[in-house]
């Protein structure tokens, strides 16, 4: 009996050890959440596209990626730094400010912020009701204008643009600070005269704004002050709103403005293999990725390494070296 009991115990122990030894590495799923922005912008579908690519290789990487709609760039930086998000889509100006301890991070540089790659260009866009008489940013004085919700990248862009045009956002306009998704409805209801939105084009909120009964135009953001702003800030560049995307707008010619780039960031604490997997899937399937949204059409593997201020994450560096994009 003693021999039988010993044999059974040995068999059980062997089965237990065998089960542990044969457990595949991918059975331990790593969860990675991507912070984006409002659901009407480009950030949300961008995060969704990246998540789908990674999830299709779940058996290979053991990563389950999810997407979260958020308040935008500032929220995403802070959430990535606190560990609530693994990745975030962030405007290039906000990445620069965070890593250098400026703006909301004044005196507190986010030393663990890491860049992964950059994405599509985003224009600082000004949409105005035709009956408001606003054709250029200089015409906003005395108007009711949505400048963006707290925690969004566009809020600071709006303030920068207004300041460059010689306008004080606290005294020269009546500033509203609601989410961009709400602005088209407010414009059509006559509750605001104009709104700013930093976004890639074409954009659903812009199409909504121009599709109502109230006639709408895209206003230019120009002038010596704007020229000076673009020259002084390394993350800004002159741009234009392509009017071919918005047939219902009053104006038909492309509208001169300025802009930034969307970037994809993470934390130094996120494992190299996770960042490597995400980077590899996007870059190895770039043509498929570009087909998911018109704003991605201008992307190349080379320009996706531009506009980055934070140090590159080692996981991204590993892929870029393998792909011959970095030496």
């Amino acid at each position: 009996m003693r021999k039988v009991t010993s044999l059974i115990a040995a068999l059980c122990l062997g089965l237990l050890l065998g089960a542990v030894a044969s457990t595949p590495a991918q059975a331990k799923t790593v969860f990675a959440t991507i912070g984006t922005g409002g659901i009407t912008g480009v950030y949300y579908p961008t995060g969704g596209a990246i998540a789908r690519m990674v999830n299709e290789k779940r058996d290979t990487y053991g990563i389950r990626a999810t997407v979260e709609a958020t308040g935008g760039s500032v929220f995403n930086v802070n959430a990535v730094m606190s560990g609530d998000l693994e990745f975030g889509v962030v405007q290039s100006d906000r990445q620069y400010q965070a890593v250098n301890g400026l703006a909301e991070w004044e005196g507190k540089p986010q030393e663990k912020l890491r860049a992964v790659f950059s994405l599509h260009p985003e224009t600082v866009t000004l949409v105005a009701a035709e009956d408001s008489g606003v054709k250029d940013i200089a015409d906003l004085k005395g108007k009711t204008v949505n400048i963006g919700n707290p925690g969004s990248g566009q809020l600071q862009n709006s303030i920068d643009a207004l300041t460059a045009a010689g306008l004080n956002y606290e005294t020269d306009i009546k500033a509203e600070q609601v989410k961009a998704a709400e602005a088209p409805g407010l414009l059509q209801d006559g509750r605001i005269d104009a709104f700013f939105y930093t976004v890639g084009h074409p954009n659903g909120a812009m199409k909504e704004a121009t599709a109502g009964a109230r006639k709408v135009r895209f206003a230019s953001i120009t002038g010596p002050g704007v020229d000076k702003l673009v020259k002084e800030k390394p993350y800004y560049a002159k741009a234009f709103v392509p009017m071919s995307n918005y047939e219902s707008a009053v104006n038909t010619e492309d509208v001169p403005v300025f802009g930034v780039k969307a970037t994809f960031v993470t934390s130094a604490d996120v494992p190299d293999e996770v960042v490597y997997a995400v980077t590899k899937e996007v870059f190895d399937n770039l043509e498929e990725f570009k087909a998911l949204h018109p704003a991605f059409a201008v992307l190349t593997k080379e320009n996706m390494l531009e506009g980055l201020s934070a140090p590159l994450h080692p996981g991204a560096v590993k892929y870029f070296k393998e792909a011959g994009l970095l030496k």
Side-chain angles (χ1 to χ4, degrees):
M1 178 65 75
R2 225 178 251 166
K3 285 183 179 180
V4 172
T5 303
S6 299
L7 181 60
I8 292 171
L11 284 170
C12 288
L13 180 60
L15 288 170
L16 178 62
L17 291 172
V20 172
S22 63
T23 300
Q26 58 265 35
K28 184 180 178 182
T29 301
V30 175
F31 292 90
T33 304
I34 302 169
T36 57
I39 58 174
T40 61
V42 185
Y43 283 11
Y44 190 76
T46 296
I50 294 171
R52 281 195 300 276
M53 287 180 169
V54 173
N55 288 337
E56 285 174 1
K57 294 285 188 71
R58 192 178 301 176
D59 291 342
T60 302
Y61 301 122
I63 300 171
R64 181 176 180 182
T66 56
V67 182
E68 184 176 318
T70 72
S73 296
V74 176
F75 179 94
N76 291 345
V77 168
N78 292 337
V80 166
M81 291 296 88
S82 68
D84 292 333
L85 295 172
E86 282 67 45
F87 297 95
V89 187
V90 173
Q91 287 179 195
S92 56
D93 54 328
R94 292 313 212 173
Q95 182 184 141
Y96 178 91
Q97 291 161 352
V99 78
N100 287 287
L102 303 171
E104 281 85 350
W105 305 278
E106 183 70 41
K108 297 179 181 178
Q110 304 301 298
E111 296 176 355
K112 286 192 173 184
L113 186 65
R114 295 291 179 269
V116 185
F117 47 79
S118 66
L119 290 158
H120 54 279
E122 300 188 295
T123 61
V124 180
T125 308
L126 177 57
V127 183
E130 177 69 359
D131 57 31
S132 71
V134 174
K135 296 182 178 181
D136 182 77
I137 188 171
D139 301 324
L140 287 178
K141 190 167 185 177
K143 306 298 183 183
T144 302
V145 187
N146 186 51
I147 61 175
N149 59 291
S152 66
Q154 69 188 29
L155 177 59
Q156 187 62 51
N157 298 152
S158 304
I159 294 171
D160 285 351
L162 289 163
T163 303
L167 297 172
N168 185 315
Y169 77 97
E170 295 179 309
T171 59
D172 288 331
I173 64 169
K174 183 181 177 184
E176 299 290 345
Q177 295 188 32
V178 302
K179 291 184 177 180
E182 300 173 31
L186 296 176
L187 189 72
Q188 283 297 328
D189 290 345
R191 297 184 338 196
I192 60 174
D193 298 303
F195 67 87
F196 285 95
Y197 196 179
T198 303
V199 73
H201 295 281
N203 170 257
M206 302 298 181
K207 290 191 174 183
E208 180 187 347
T210 58
R214 195 181 190 193
K215 294 298 181 182
V216 169
R217 75 161 51 241
F218 288 78
S220 55
I221 304 177
T222 57
V226 174
D227 293 341
K228 183 180 178 184
L229 174 69
V230 170
K231 187 175 180 180
E232 290 179 349
K233 304 293 185 183
Y235 41 78
Y236 283 143
K238 288 192 175 182
F240 64 88
V241 179
M243 293 309 299
S244 59
N245 295 312
Y246 305 107
E247 295 179 356
S248 300
V250 172
N251 41 340
T252 56
E253 298 293 322
D254 291 345
V255 179
V257 292
F258 68 97
V260 293
K261 286 190 94 173
T263 68
F264 200 62
V265 304
T266 189
S267 165
D269 294 334
V270 175
D272 291 5
E273 58 269 22
V274 174
V275 179
Y276 173 85
V278 171
T279 307
K280 180 176 174 61
E281 288 312 302
V282 172
F283 276 70
D284 281 1
N285 299 284
L286 186 56
E287 291 307 310
E288 176 189 339
F289 181 75
K290 288 168 62 174
L292 296 173
H293 197 284
F296 303 155
V298 298
L299 296 181
T300 66
K301 290 182 179 181
E302 290 74 21
N303 69 25
M304 290 174 74
L305 270 70
E306 297 172 355
L308 303 173
S309 306
L312 283 170
H313 191 285
V317 170
K318 179 184 176 184
Y319 173 80
F320 295 145
K321 287 184 175 180
E322 288 179 1
L325 296 167
L326 283 180
K327 292 182 179 179

